[in-house]
Amino acid sequence: IDFRQLAHEFAQYEIRPVAAHHDKTSAYPWAVIKQAHALGLMNLTVPEAYGGGGLGQMEDCLVTEELSCGCAGITSAIAGNSLGATPIVIAGNEEQKKKFLGAITAEPRLVAFNLTEPQAGSDAANMKVTARKVGGDYVLNGTKQFITNGGVASYHSVFVMTDASKGTDGISAFVVAADTPGVTAGKEEDKMGQRAANTTQVIYQDAAVPEVEPRHVADEDL
């Protein structure tokens, strides 16, 4: 498949005709998302073993570039899945990969990348969202900010502080289902641009995630 040409035609015939409507209304482009998913234009960097495109970052960038000529906001909604899936691809165990990557490739479900916080944007090491061990769970508390697809995603890849005494080495990543008790979408941003993309806070209030065997990521995994 020539994904670059497919993306170009998709932008021309499916995105551009509805771009103005979604930009004006901020209505989430679910119909376009479902079409993109059916054509294989989402989850391109997810390995083929889990139903994805099995492509590299360069190919994903080329497809994103072509889609963006239709609408940057709609493209953010589509491309956000590659970003949200990347921590799972890099550091997830086999069970997590089959469960979460398999879910977003089998159906047009979304996974959101949760890093930015109200006081920690470019300074990600200053994050305040925490996860503490309680029995067989980790319990998450705090607020993430400016999360693409934050209010519509089925899953969240969340970076949190598990041991502040270790600095950046104390940061861990979790995959959290959006319907986990204690997980809510906060305020949706009324943006100047890319208004088709859903951008919200994601709030964690005693949200419990079952403990799994941690995987420590080495430099060669990145």
Side-chain angles (χ1 to χ4, degrees):
I1 299 174
D2 185 341
F3 282 103
R4 191 175 189 181
Q5 182 61 31
L6 179 62
H8 180 83
E9 293 176 358
F10 187 81
Q12 182 177 359
Y13 296 112
E14 304 298 337
I15 296 180
R16 284 185 184 176
V18 299
H21 165 73
H22 288 285
D23 189 62
K24 181 177 181 179
T25 64
S26 294
Y28 194 74
W30 273 118
V32 182
I33 293 286
K34 292 175 181 178
Q35 289 175 302
H37 186 277
L39 289 171
L41 289 171
M42 293 180 67
N43 309 310
L44 291 176
T45 58
V46 173
E48 291 180 337
Y50 310 106
L55 301 181
Q57 298 295 335
M58 176 59 74
E59 291 88 349
D60 196 39
C61 286
L62 292 173
V63 167
T64 301
E65 180 181 47
E66 294 294 344
L67 293 176
S68 294
C69 76
C71 173
I74 292 175
T75 299
S76 291
I78 293 171
N81 251 31
S82 288
L83 180 60
T86 294
I88 307 171
V89 172
I90 292 174
N93 61 33
E94 190 62 22
E95 181 181 355
Q96 289 172 319
K97 290 178 181 179
K98 288 180 178 178
K99 178 179 180 179
F100 298 113
L101 299 180
I104 64 172
T105 57
E107 299 179 46
R109 295 184 180 184
L110 303 172
V111 54
F113 184 83
N114 287 220
L115 179 64
T116 300
E117 297 181 9
Q119 77 298 324
S122 57
D123 182 18
N126 193 36
M127 66 176 62
K128 304 300 182 186
V129 175
T130 61
R132 73 182 191 281
K133 184 77 184 310
V134 179
D137 296 332
Y138 275 91
V139 178
L140 280 64
N141 278 284
T143 298
K144 293 295 184 178
Q145 185 82 20
F146 304 137
I147 304 304
T148 299
N149 291 333
V152 293
S154 296
Y155 309 105
H156 298 280
S157 294
V158 191
F159 291 82
V160 303
M161 190 64 74
T162 48
D163 189 345
S165 69
K166 295 181 179 179
T168 55
D169 288 337
I171 296 174
S172 301
F174 293 83
V175 187
V176 183
D179 60 0
T180 300
V183 179
T184 56
K187 172 179 175 287
E188 181 174 359
E189 300 296 332
D190 184 16
K191 305 183 296 294
M192 292 178 66
Q194 298 197 29
R195 290 165 52 80
N198 173 270
T199 308
T200 71
Q201 292 181 328
V202 180
I203 302 166
Y204 299 90
Q205 295 177 306
D206 292 328
V209 180
E211 180 184 15
V212 298
E213 185 68 26
R215 177 162 183 245
H216 300 283
V217 179
D219 290 343
E220 55 267 24
D221 294 319
L222 300 176

